[in-house]
Coordinates of all heavy atoms in Angstrom, one line a residue:
M112 N 0.9 -1.2 0.0 CA 0.0 0.0 0.0 C 0.9 1.2 0.0 O 1.9 1.3 0.8 CB -0.9 0.0 1.2 CG -1.9 1.1 1.3 SD -3.0 1.1 2.7 CE -3.4 -0.6 2.9
V113 N 0.6 2.2 -0.8 CA 1.3 3.4 -0.9 C 1.0 4.2 0.3 O -0.1 4.3 0.8 CB 0.9 4.2 -2.2 CG1 1.6 5.5 -2.3 CG2 1.2 3.3 -3.4
R114 N 2.0 4.9 0.8 CA 1.8 5.7 2.1 C 0.7 6.8 2.0 O 0.0 7.0 2.9 CB 3.2 6.4 2.4 CG 3.2 7.2 3.6 CD 4.5 7.7 3.9 NE 5.3 6.9 4.7 CZ 6.0 7.3 5.8 NH1 6.1 8.5 6.0 NH2 6.6 6.4 6.5
V115 N 0.6 7.4 0.8 CA -0.4 8.4 0.6 C -1.8 7.9 0.8 O -2.7 8.5 1.3 CB -0.2 9.1 -0.8 CG1 -1.3 10.1 -1.1 CG2 1.1 9.7 -0.9
S116 N -2.1 6.6 0.3 CA -3.4 6.1 0.4 C -3.8 5.5 1.7 O -4.9 5.1 2.0 CB -3.6 5.1 -0.7 OG -2.8 3.9 -0.4
A117 N -2.9 5.4 2.7 CA -3.2 4.8 4.0 C -4.3 5.6 4.7 O -5.1 4.9 5.3 CB -1.9 4.8 4.8
G118 N -4.3 6.9 4.6 CA -5.3 7.7 5.3 C -6.7 7.4 4.7 O -7.7 7.3 5.5
H119 N -6.8 7.2 3.4 CA -8.1 6.9 2.8 C -8.6 5.5 3.3 O -9.7 5.3 3.5 CB -8.0 6.9 1.3 CG -7.7 8.3 0.8 ND1 -8.6 9.3 0.8 CD2 -6.5 8.8 0.2 CE1 -8.0 10.4 0.2 NE2 -6.8 10.1 -0.1
Y120 N -7.6 4.6 3.4 CA -8.0 3.2 3.8 C -8.5 3.3 5.3 O -9.6 2.7 5.6 CB -6.8 2.3 3.7 CG -7.1 0.9 4.2 CD1 -7.8 0.0 3.4 CD2 -6.7 0.5 5.5 CE1 -8.1 -1.3 3.8 CE2 -7.0 -0.8 5.9 CZ -7.7 -1.7 5.0 OH -8.0 -2.9 5.5
V121 N -7.9 4.0 6.1 CA -8.3 4.1 7.5 C -9.6 4.8 7.6 O -10.5 4.3 8.4 CB -7.2 4.9 8.4 CG1 -7.8 5.3 9.7 CG2 -5.9 4.2 8.4
K122 N -9.9 5.8 6.8 CA -11.2 6.5 6.8 C -12.3 5.5 6.3 O -13.4 5.5 6.8 CB -11.1 7.7 5.9 CG -12.4 8.5 5.8 CD -12.8 9.1 7.2 CE -14.0 10.0 7.1 NZ -14.5 10.4 8.4
M123 N -12.0 4.7 5.3 CA -12.9 3.7 4.8 C -13.3 2.7 5.9 O -14.5 2.4 6.1 CB -12.3 3.0 3.6 CG -13.3 2.0 3.0 SD -12.5 1.0 1.7 CE -11.3 0.0 2.7
V124 N -12.3 2.2 6.6 CA -12.6 1.3 7.7 C -13.4 1.9 8.8 O -14.4 1.4 9.3 CB -11.3 0.7 8.3 CG1 -11.5 -0.1 9.6 CG2 -10.6 -0.1 7.2
H125 N -13.1 3.2 9.2 CA -13.8 3.9 10.1 C -15.3 4.1 9.7 O -16.2 3.9 10.5 CB -13.2 5.3 10.4 CG -14.0 6.3 11.1 ND1 -14.2 6.2 12.5 CD2 -14.8 7.3 10.7 CE1 -15.0 7.1 12.9 NE2 -15.4 7.8 11.8
N126 N -15.5 4.5 8.5 CA -16.9 4.7 8.0 C -17.7 3.3 8.0 O -18.8 3.3 8.4 CB -16.9 5.2 6.6 CG -16.5 6.7 6.6 OD1 -16.5 7.4 7.6 ND2 -16.1 7.2 5.4
G127 N -17.0 2.3 7.7 CA -17.7 1.0 7.7 C -18.1 0.6 9.1 O -19.3 0.1 9.3
I128 N -17.3 0.9 10.1 CA -17.7 0.6 11.5 C -18.8 1.5 11.9 O -19.8 1.1 12.6 CB -16.4 0.8 12.4 CG1 -15.4 -0.3 12.1 CG2 -16.8 0.8 13.9 CD1 -14.0 -0.1 12.8
E129 N -18.7 2.8 11.5 CA -19.7 3.8 11.9 C -21.1 3.4 11.3 O -22.1 3.5 11.9 CB -19.3 5.1 11.4 CG -20.0 6.3 12.1 CD -19.4 7.6 11.8 OE1 -19.3 8.0 10.6 OE2 -18.9 8.2 12.8
Y130 N -21.1 3.0 10.0 CA -22.4 2.6 9.4 C -23.0 1.4 10.0 O -24.2 1.2 10.1 CB -22.1 2.4 7.9 CG -21.8 3.7 7.1 CD1 -21.0 3.6 6.0 CD2 -22.2 4.9 7.6 CE1 -20.6 4.8 5.3 CE2 -21.8 6.1 6.9 CZ -21.0 6.0 5.8 OH -20.6 7.1 5.1
G131 N -22.1 0.4 10.4 CA -22.6 -0.8 11.1 C -23.2 -0.4 12.4 O -24.3 -1.0 12.8
L132 N -22.7 0.5 13.1 CA -23.2 1.0 14.4 C -24.6 1.7 14.2 O -25.5 1.5 14.9 CB -22.2 1.9 15.2 CG -22.7 2.3 16.6 CD1 -23.0 1.2 17.4 CD2 -21.6 3.2 17.1
M133 N -24.7 2.5 13.1 CA -25.9 3.1 12.8 C -27.0 2.1 12.5 O -28.2 2.2 12.9 CB -25.8 4.1 11.7 CG -25.0 5.4 12.1 SD -25.1 6.7 10.8 CE -24.0 6.0 9.6
Q134 N -26.7 1.1 11.8 CA -27.6 0.0 11.5 C -28.0 -0.7 12.8 O -29.2 -1.0 13.0 CB -27.0 -1.0 10.5 CG -28.0 -2.0 10.0 CD -29.1 -1.4 9.2 OE1 -28.8 -0.5 8.4 NE2 -30.3 -2.0 9.3
L135 N -27.1 -1.0 13.7 CA -27.4 -1.6 15.0 C -28.4 -0.7 15.8 O -29.3 -1.2 16.3 CB -26.1 -1.8 15.8 CG -26.3 -2.2 17.2 CD1 -26.8 -3.7 17.3 CD2 -25.0 -2.1 18.0
I136 N -28.1 0.6 15.8 CA -29.0 1.5 16.5 C -30.4 1.4 15.9 O -31.4 1.3 16.7 CB -28.4 2.9 16.5 CG1 -27.2 3.0 17.4 CG2 -29.5 3.9 17.0 CD1 -26.4 4.3 17.3
A137 N -30.5 1.5 14.6 CA -31.8 1.5 14.0 C -32.6 0.3 14.2 O -33.8 0.3 14.5 CB -31.7 1.8 12.5
E138 N -32.0 -0.9 14.1 CA -32.7 -2.1 14.2 C -33.0 -2.4 15.7 O -34.1 -2.9 16.0 CB -31.8 -3.3 13.6 CG -31.8 -3.1 12.1 CD -31.3 -4.4 11.4 OE1 -31.4 -5.5 12.0 OE2 -30.8 -4.2 10.3
S139 N -32.1 -2.1 16.6 CA -32.4 -2.3 18.0 C -33.5 -1.4 18.5 O -34.3 -1.8 19.3 CB -31.1 -2.1 18.9 OG -30.6 -0.8 18.8
Y140 N -33.5 -0.2 18.0 CA -34.6 0.8 18.3 C -35.9 0.2 17.9 O -36.9 0.2 18.6 CB -34.4 2.1 17.6 CG -35.6 3.0 17.7 CD1 -35.9 3.7 18.8 CD2 -36.5 3.0 16.6 CE1 -37.1 4.5 18.9 CE2 -37.7 3.8 16.7 CZ -37.9 4.5 17.8 OH -39.1 5.2 17.9
D141 N -36.0 -0.3 16.7 CA -37.3 -0.8 16.1 C -37.7 -2.0 17.0 O -38.9 -2.1 17.4 CB -37.1 -1.3 14.7 CG -38.4 -1.7 14.1 OD1 -39.4 -1.0 14.1 OD2 -38.5 -2.9 13.6
L142 N -36.8 -2.9 17.4 CA -37.2 -4.1 18.2 C -37.7 -3.7 19.5 O -38.6 -4.2 20.1 CB -36.0 -5.0 18.3 CG -35.6 -5.8 17.1 CD1 -34.3 -6.5 17.3 CD2 -36.7 -6.8 16.8
M143 N -37.0 -2.7 20.2 CA -37.3 -2.3 21.5 C -38.6 -1.5 21.5 O -39.4 -1.6 22.5 CB -36.1 -1.6 22.2 CG -35.0 -2.5 22.5 SD -33.7 -1.8 23.4 CE -33.0 -0.6 22.3
K144 N -38.7 -0.6 20.6 CA -39.9 0.3 20.5 C -41.2 -0.4 20.2 O -42.2 -0.4 20.9 CB -39.6 1.5 19.6 CG -40.7 2.6 19.6 CD -40.7 3.4 20.9 CE -41.6 4.5 20.8 NZ -41.5 5.3 22.0
R145 N -41.1 -1.1 19.0 CA -42.3 -1.7 18.5 C -42.5 -3.1 19.1 O -43.6 -3.5 19.4 CB -42.3 -1.8 17.0 CG -42.5 -0.4 16.3 CD -42.7 -0.5 14.9 NE -41.8 -1.5 14.2 CZ -42.2 -2.1 13.0 NH1 -43.4 -1.9 12.5 NH2 -41.4 -2.9 12.4
G146 N -41.4 -3.8 19.3 CA -41.5 -5.2 19.7 C -41.7 -5.3 21.3 O -42.6 -6.0 21.7
L147 N -41.0 -4.5 22.0 CA -41.1 -4.6 23.5 C -41.9 -3.5 24.1 O -42.3 -3.5 25.2 CB -39.7 -4.5 24.1 CG -38.7 -5.7 23.7 CD1 -37.3 -5.4 24.3 CD2 -39.3 -7.0 24.2
G148 N -42.2 -2.4 23.3 CA -43.1 -1.3 23.7 C -42.4 -0.4 24.7 O -43.0 0.2 25.5
L149 N -41.1 -0.3 24.6 CA -40.3 0.6 25.5 C -40.7 2.0 25.3 O -40.9 2.4 24.2 CB -38.8 0.4 25.4 CG -38.2 -0.7 26.3 CD1 -38.8 -2.0 26.2 CD2 -36.7 -0.7 26.1
S150 N -40.7 2.8 26.4 CA -41.0 4.2 26.3 C -39.7 4.9 25.9 O -38.6 4.4 25.9 CB -41.4 4.8 27.6 OG -40.4 4.8 28.6
D151 N -39.8 6.2 25.5 CA -38.6 7.0 25.2 C -37.6 7.1 26.3 O -36.4 7.0 26.2 CB -39.0 8.4 24.7 CG -39.7 8.4 23.4 OD1 -39.6 7.4 22.7 OD2 -40.4 9.4 23.0
D152 N -38.1 7.2 27.6 CA -37.3 7.3 28.7 C -36.5 6.0 28.9 O -35.4 6.0 29.3 CB -38.1 7.6 30.0 CG -38.6 9.0 30.0 OD1 -37.9 9.9 29.4 OD2 -39.7 9.3 30.6
E153 N -37.2 4.9 28.7 CA -36.6 3.5 28.9 C -35.5 3.3 27.8 O -34.5 2.8 28.0 CB -37.6 2.4 28.8 CG -38.6 2.4 30.0 CD -39.8 1.5 29.8 OE1 -40.3 1.5 28.7 OE2 -40.1 0.8 30.8
L154 N -35.8 3.8 26.6 CA -34.8 3.7 25.5 C -33.6 4.5 25.8 O -32.5 4.1 25.6 CB -35.5 4.1 24.2 CG -36.5 3.2 23.5 CD1 -37.2 3.9 22.4 CD2 -35.8 1.9 23.0
S155 N -33.8 5.7 26.4 CA -32.7 6.5 26.7 C -31.8 5.8 27.7 O -30.5 5.9 27.6 CB -33.2 7.8 27.3 OG -32.1 8.6 27.7
V156 N -32.4 5.1 28.7 CA -31.6 4.4 29.7 C -30.8 3.2 29.1 O -29.6 3.0 29.3 CB -32.5 3.9 30.8 CG1 -31.8 2.9 31.7 CG2 -33.1 5.1 31.6
V157 N -31.5 2.5 28.2 CA -30.8 1.3 27.5 C -29.7 1.8 26.7 O -28.5 1.3 26.9 CB -31.9 0.6 26.6 CG1 -31.1 -0.4 25.7 CG2 -32.9 -0.1 27.5
Y158 N -29.8 2.8 25.9 CA -28.7 3.3 25.0 C -27.6 3.9 25.9 O -26.5 3.8 25.6 CB -29.2 4.2 24.0 CG -30.0 3.5 22.8 CD1 -31.3 3.7 22.7 CD2 -29.3 2.7 22.0 CE1 -32.0 3.1 21.6 CE2 -30.0 2.0 20.9 CZ -31.3 2.2 20.8 OH -32.0 1.5 19.8
G159 N -28.0 4.6 27.0 CA -27.0 5.1 27.9 C -26.2 4.0 28.5 O -25.0 4.2 28.7
N160 N -26.9 2.9 28.9 CA -26.1 1.8 29.5 C -25.2 1.2 28.5 O -24.1 0.8 28.9 CB -27.1 0.7 30.1 CG -27.8 1.2 31.3 OD1 -27.3 2.1 32.0 ND2 -28.9 0.6 31.6
W161 N -25.7 1.0 27.3 CA -24.8 0.5 26.2 C -23.6 1.3 26.0 O -22.5 0.9 25.7 CB -25.6 0.2 25.0 CG -26.6 -0.9 25.0 CD1 -26.8 -1.8 26.0 CD2 -27.5 -1.2 24.0 NE1 -27.8 -2.6 25.7 CE2 -28.2 -2.4 24.4 CE3 -27.8 -0.7 22.7 CZ2 -29.2 -3.0 23.7 CZ3 -28.7 -1.3 21.9 CH2 -29.4 -2.5 22.4
N162 N -23.8 2.7 26.1 CA -22.7 3.6 25.8 C -21.7 3.5 27.0 O -20.5 3.8 26.7 CB -23.2 5.0 25.7 CG -22.1 6.0 25.4 OD1 -21.4 5.8 24.4 ND2 -22.0 7.0 26.2
E163 N -22.1 3.1 28.1 CA -21.1 3.0 29.3 C -20.4 1.6 29.3 O -19.6 1.4 30.1 CB -21.8 3.2 30.6 CG -22.4 4.6 30.7 CD -23.2 4.8 31.9 OE1 -23.4 3.8 32.7 OE2 -23.8 5.9 32.1
A164 N -20.8 0.7 28.3 CA -20.2 -0.6 28.3 C -19.5 -0.8 27.0 O -18.7 0.0 26.6 CB -21.3 -1.7 28.5
E165 N -19.7 -2.0 26.4 CA -19.0 -2.4 25.2 C -19.2 -1.4 24.0 O -18.3 -1.3 23.1 CB -19.3 -3.8 24.8 CG -18.9 -4.9 25.8 CD -20.0 -5.1 26.8 OE1 -21.1 -4.6 26.7 OE2 -19.6 -5.7 27.9
L166 N -20.3 -0.9 23.9 CA -20.7 0.0 22.7 C -20.4 1.4 23.0 O -21.1 2.3 22.4 CB -22.1 -0.3 22.4 CG -22.5 -1.7 21.9 CD1 -24.0 -1.8 21.7 CD2 -21.8 -2.1 20.7
N167 N -19.4 1.8 23.8 CA -19.1 3.1 24.0 C -18.6 3.9 22.8 O -17.6 3.6 22.2 CB -17.9 3.2 25.1 CG -17.6 4.6 25.5 OD1 -17.2 5.4 24.7 ND2 -17.7 4.8 26.7
A168 N -19.5 4.8 22.3 CA -19.2 5.5 21.0 C -20.1 6.7 21.0 O -21.1 6.8 21.6 CB -19.6 4.6 19.8
Y169 N -19.6 7.7 20.3 CA -20.3 9.0 20.2 C -21.8 8.8 19.7 O -22.7 9.4 20.2 CB -19.5 9.9 19.3 CG -20.3 11.3 19.1 CD1 -20.4 12.2 20.1 CD2 -20.8 11.6 17.8 CE1 -21.0 13.4 19.9 CE2 -21.5 12.8 17.6 CZ -21.6 13.7 18.7 OH -22.3 14.9 18.5
L170 N -22.0 8.0 18.7 CA -23.3 7.8 18.1 C -24.2 7.2 19.2 O -25.4 7.5 19.3 CB -23.3 6.8 16.9 CG -22.7 7.5 15.7 CD1 -22.6 6.4 14.5 CD2 -23.5 8.6 15.2
M171 N -23.7 6.3 20.0 CA -24.6 5.7 21.1 C -24.9 6.7 22.1 O -26.0 6.8 22.6 CB -23.8 4.5 21.7 CG -24.7 3.6 22.4 SD -26.0 2.8 21.5 CE -25.1 1.7 20.4
E172 N -23.9 7.6 22.4 CA -24.1 8.7 23.4 C -25.2 9.6 23.0 O -26.1 9.9 23.7 CB -22.8 9.4 23.6 CG -22.9 10.6 24.6 CD -21.7 11.4 24.7 OE1 -20.6 10.9 24.2 OE2 -21.7 12.4 25.4
I173 N -25.1 10.1 21.7 CA -26.1 11.1 21.3 C -27.5 10.4 21.1 O -28.5 11.1 21.3 CB -25.7 11.8 20.0 CG1 -25.5 10.9 18.8 CG2 -24.5 12.6 20.3 CD1 -25.2 11.6 17.5
T174 N -27.5 9.1 20.8 CA -28.8 8.4 20.7 C -29.5 8.4 22.0 O -30.7 8.6 22.1 CB -28.6 7.0 20.1 OG1 -28.0 7.1 18.8 CG2 -29.9 6.2 20.0
S175 N -28.7 8.1 23.1 CA -29.3 8.1 24.4 C -29.8 9.4 24.9 O -30.8 9.5 25.6 CB -28.3 7.5 25.4 OG -27.3 8.5 25.7
H176 N -29.2 10.5 24.4 CA -29.7 11.8 24.8 C -30.9 12.3 24.0 O -31.7 13.1 24.5 CB -28.5 12.8 24.6 CG -27.4 12.6 25.6 ND1 -27.4 13.0 26.9 CD2 -26.2 12.0 25.4 CE1 -26.3 12.7 27.5 NE2 -25.6 12.0 26.6
I177 N -31.0 11.9 22.8 CA -32.1 12.5 21.9 C -33.5 12.2 22.4 O -34.4 13.0 22.3 CB -32.0 12.1 20.4 CG1 -32.8 12.9 19.5 CG2 -32.3 10.6 20.3 CD1 -32.4 14.3 19.4
F178 N -33.7 11.1 23.1 CA -35.0 10.7 23.6 C -35.5 11.6 24.7 O -36.7 11.6 25.0 CB -35.0 9.3 24.1 CG -34.7 8.3 23.0 CD1 -33.5 7.6 22.9 CD2 -35.7 8.0 22.0 CE1 -33.3 6.7 21.9 CE2 -35.5 7.1 21.0 CZ -34.2 6.4 20.9
T179 N -34.6 12.3 25.4 CA -35.1 13.2 26.5 C -34.9 14.7 26.3 O -35.2 15.5 27.2 CB -34.3 12.8 27.8 OG1 -32.9 12.9 27.5 CG2 -34.5 11.3 28.2
Q180 N -34.5 15.1 25.1 CA -34.3 16.5 24.8 C -35.7 17.2 24.7 O -36.6 16.7 24.2 CB -33.6 16.7 23.5 CG -32.2 16.2 23.5 CD -31.4 17.0 24.5 OE1 -31.3 18.2 24.5 NE2 -30.7 16.2 25.4
V181 N -35.7 18.4 25.3 CA -36.9 19.2 25.4 C -36.7 20.6 24.6 O -35.6 21.2 24.8 CB -37.3 19.5 26.8 CG1 -38.5 20.4 26.9 CG2 -37.6 18.2 27.6
D182 N -37.6 21.0 23.8 CA -37.5 22.2 23.1 C -37.7 23.4 24.2 O -38.7 23.4 24.9 CB -38.6 22.3 22.1 CG -38.5 23.5 21.2 OD1 -38.2 24.6 21.7 OD2 -38.8 23.4 20.0
E183 N -36.8 24.3 24.2 CA -36.9 25.4 25.2 C -38.1 26.3 25.0 O -38.7 26.8 25.9 CB -35.6 26.2 25.2 CG -34.4 25.5 25.6 CD -33.1 26.3 25.5 OE1 -33.2 27.5 25.1 OE2 -32.1 25.7 25.8
Q184 N -38.5 26.5 23.7 CA -39.7 27.3 23.4 C -41.0 26.7 23.7 O -41.9 27.4 24.2 CB -39.6 27.8 22.0 CG -38.4 28.7 21.7 CD -38.4 29.1 20.2 OE1 -39.0 28.6 19.4 NE2 -37.6 30.2 19.9
T185 N -41.2 25.5 23.3 CA -42.5 24.8 23.5 C -42.6 24.0 24.8 O -43.7 23.7 25.2 CB -42.8 23.9 22.3 OG1 -41.8 22.8 22.3 CG2 -42.7 24.6 21.0
G186 N -41.4 23.6 25.3 CA -41.5 22.7 26.5 C -41.8 21.3 26.2 O -42.0 20.5 27.1
K187 N -41.9 21.0 24.9 CA -42.2 19.6 24.5 C -40.9 18.9 24.1 O -39.9 19.5 23.7 CB -43.2 19.6 23.3 CG -44.5 20.2 23.7 CD -45.4 20.1 22.5 CE -46.8 20.7 22.8 NZ -47.7 20.7 21.7
R188 N -40.9 17.6 24.1 CA -39.8 16.8 23.7 C -39.5 17.0 22.2 O -40.5 17.1 21.4 CB -40.0 15.3 24.0 CG -39.9 15.1 25.5 CD -39.5 13.7 25.7 NE -39.3 13.5 27.1 CZ -39.1 12.3 27.7 NH1 -39.2 11.2 27.0 NH2 -38.9 12.3 29.0
L189 N -38.3 17.0 21.8 CA -37.9 17.2 20.4 C -38.2 16.0 19.6 O -38.5 16.0 18.5 CB -36.4 17.6 20.3 CG -36.0 18.9 20.8 CD1 -34.5 19.1 20.7 CD2 -36.7 20.0 20.1
Y190 N -38.1 14.8 20.3 CA -38.2 13.6 19.6 C -39.5 12.9 20.1 O -39.8 12.8 21.3 CB -37.1 12.6 19.9 CG -37.3 11.3 19.3 CD1 -37.0 11.0 18.0 CD2 -37.8 10.2 20.1 CE1 -37.2 9.8 17.5 CE2 -38.1 9.0 19.6 CZ -37.8 8.8 18.3 OH -38.0 7.6 17.7
R191 N -40.3 12.5 19.2 CA -41.5 11.8 19.6 C -41.9 10.8 18.4 O -42.0 11.2 17.3 CB -42.7 12.7 19.8 CG -43.9 11.8 20.3 CD -45.1 12.7 20.6 NE -46.3 12.0 21.1 CZ -46.9 11.1 20.4 NH1 -46.5 10.6 19.3 NH2 -48.0 10.5 20.9
C192 N -42.0 9.5 18.7 CA -42.3 8.6 17.7 C -43.5 7.8 18.2 O -43.5 7.2 19.2 CB -41.1 7.6 17.4 SG -41.5 6.4 16.2
D193 N -44.5 7.8 17.4 CA -45.7 6.9 17.6 C -45.7 5.8 16.6 O -46.2 6.1 15.5 CB -47.0 7.8 17.6 CG -48.2 7.0 18.0 OD1 -48.0 5.8 18.4 OD2 -49.3 7.5 17.9
P194 N -45.2 4.7 16.9 CA -45.1 3.6 15.8 C -46.4 3.0 15.4 O -46.5 2.2 14.5 CB -44.2 2.6 16.5 CG -44.3 2.8 17.9 CD -44.7 4.2 18.1
G195 N -47.5 3.4 16.1 CA -48.8 2.8 15.8 C -49.4 3.4 14.7 O -49.7 3.2 13.6

């Protein structure tokens, strides 16, 4: 491998890992929300716990936070999903 292309290879591997994690988040969300009926607060706790363990990553961290964010102007949660 040429030295110049090493950075591109590293970025490609990084992106592959990141896309895999995004897929894991999406599929686990669907299973827990629709399959188990977890609330947004419960989902926040689950993703927060995962972030503190083996799946410690920025994407997992922000996923755990989005479920509890409140709009300062309306006082309502920014995220709301009604899968029904």
Side-chain angles (χ1 to χ4, degrees):
M112 184 179 319
V113 178
R114 182 179 265 225
V115 175
S116 65
H119 296 287
Y120 180 77
V121 170
K122 182 63 175 170
M123 179 187 69
V124 171
H125 166 80
N126 286 344
I128 293 168
E129 197 168 63
Y130 295 149
L132 184 55
M133 287 189 288
Q134 187 67 35
L135 170 72
I136 291 169
E138 291 194 24
S139 64
Y140 167 81
D141 185 56
L142 287 170
M143 291 187 290
K144 186 70 172 184
R145 293 191 314 151
L147 299 175
L149 268 58
S150 69
D151 292 342
D152 289 329
E153 292 169 320
L154 287 166
S155 178
V156 170
V157 169
Y158 286 112
N160 289 339
W161 287 357
N162 185 53
E163 294 173 3
E165 296 86 15
L166 296 175
N167 184 301
Y169 177 70
L170 289 174
M171 199 59 72
E172 178 184 351
I173 62 174
T174 300
S175 71
H176 291 279
I177 193 65
F178 295 108
T179 58
Q180 293 298 307
V181 176
D182 185 323
E183 294 176 4
Q184 293 180 344
T185 65
K187 295 181 181 179
R188 288 206 172 166
L189 293 177
Y190 175 83
R191 183 178 181 303
C192 178
D193 184 5

